[in-house]
Amino acid sequence: MIKLLVVILILSLHVSLNESLSIPSLNHQVQMNQKPKKKPAIEWRNTSEFENNPTYDKVLELAKKNYQAECQMNKSITFSKVLQVAKQIQQGMLWSLQVEFSDKSIKIIQIFEDLDGVLEFDSCKDNK
């Protein structure tokens, strides 16, 4: 009789222990099946945040110097203003400038800054 009670007690503890362990594993499975929230590809910032940044000044100068050739724009179209700026770390720094031109077109100009601080025009894309 005592053996039977001990067996019943052990079995009941075993079942309750398994149930309590299975709940977190189910929660973990549910969390694993949830899709991760996507972050925006580029986090745009106001140009005023870069007013006293000498590297931004150099990036802007390079963009203004090379936009007509790199963006394949007519020489009559001028660089009006930078609307927004973003920076991404990519084996250096990738600067993205959202630029409005005199013809009211908007393009994304990207300038790459390597680890030594050397700037290079990377790309010019239509704003999508």
Side-chain angles (χ1 to χ4, degrees):
M1 181 76 165
I2 292 178
K3 287 182 182 180
L4 181 61
L5 287 174
V6 170
V7 169
I8 292 172
L9 180 62
I10 290 173
L11 285 175
S12 69
L13 284 173
H14 180 70
V15 168
S16 77
L17 183 61
N18 280 341
E19 287 175 1
S20 67
L21 290 177
S22 68
I23 291 173
S25 67
L26 285 176
N27 286 338
H28 181 70
Q29 285 178 341
V30 168
Q31 290 172 350
M32 293 296 290
N33 289 335
Q34 291 177 346
K35 293 182 181 176
K37 293 179 181 176
K38 292 183 180 179
K39 292 183 177 180
I42 295 179
E43 189 174 320
W44 292 107
R45 299 185 182 274
N46 193 310
T47 57
S48 64
E49 293 182 39
F50 299 94
E51 284 177 349
N52 296 318
N53 185 325
T55 305
Y56 171 71
D57 293 338
K58 291 176 186 175
V59 166
L60 188 56
E61 183 181 317
L62 183 65
K64 286 180 177 180
K65 180 180 174 184
N66 294 296
Y67 78 91
Q68 287 177 330
E70 297 290 339
C71 299
Q72 300 173 351
M73 299 183 84
N74 188 317
K75 292 190 181 207
S76 65
I77 298 173
T78 58
F79 192 106
S80 293
K81 64 181 174 181
V82 176
L83 302 173
Q84 299 180 90
V85 179
K87 291 178 11 179
Q88 296 172 294
I89 297 174
Q90 295 183 354
Q91 298 179 349
M93 189 67 67
L94 184 64
W95 291 79
S96 298
L97 308 175
Q98 187 182 51
V99 179
E100 181 180 15
F101 294 94
S102 59
D103 66 350
K104 300 299 178 195
S105 66
I106 297 175
K107 295 196 180 286
I108 306 297
I109 293 178
Q110 293 186 312
I111 308 288
F112 181 73
E113 176 188 6
D114 71 13
L115 297 174
D116 295 324
V118 176
L119 298 173
E120 181 181 321
F121 201 104
D122 186 70
S123 66
C124 180
K125 302 172 188 170
D126 289 330
N127 188 38
K128 296 178 183 173

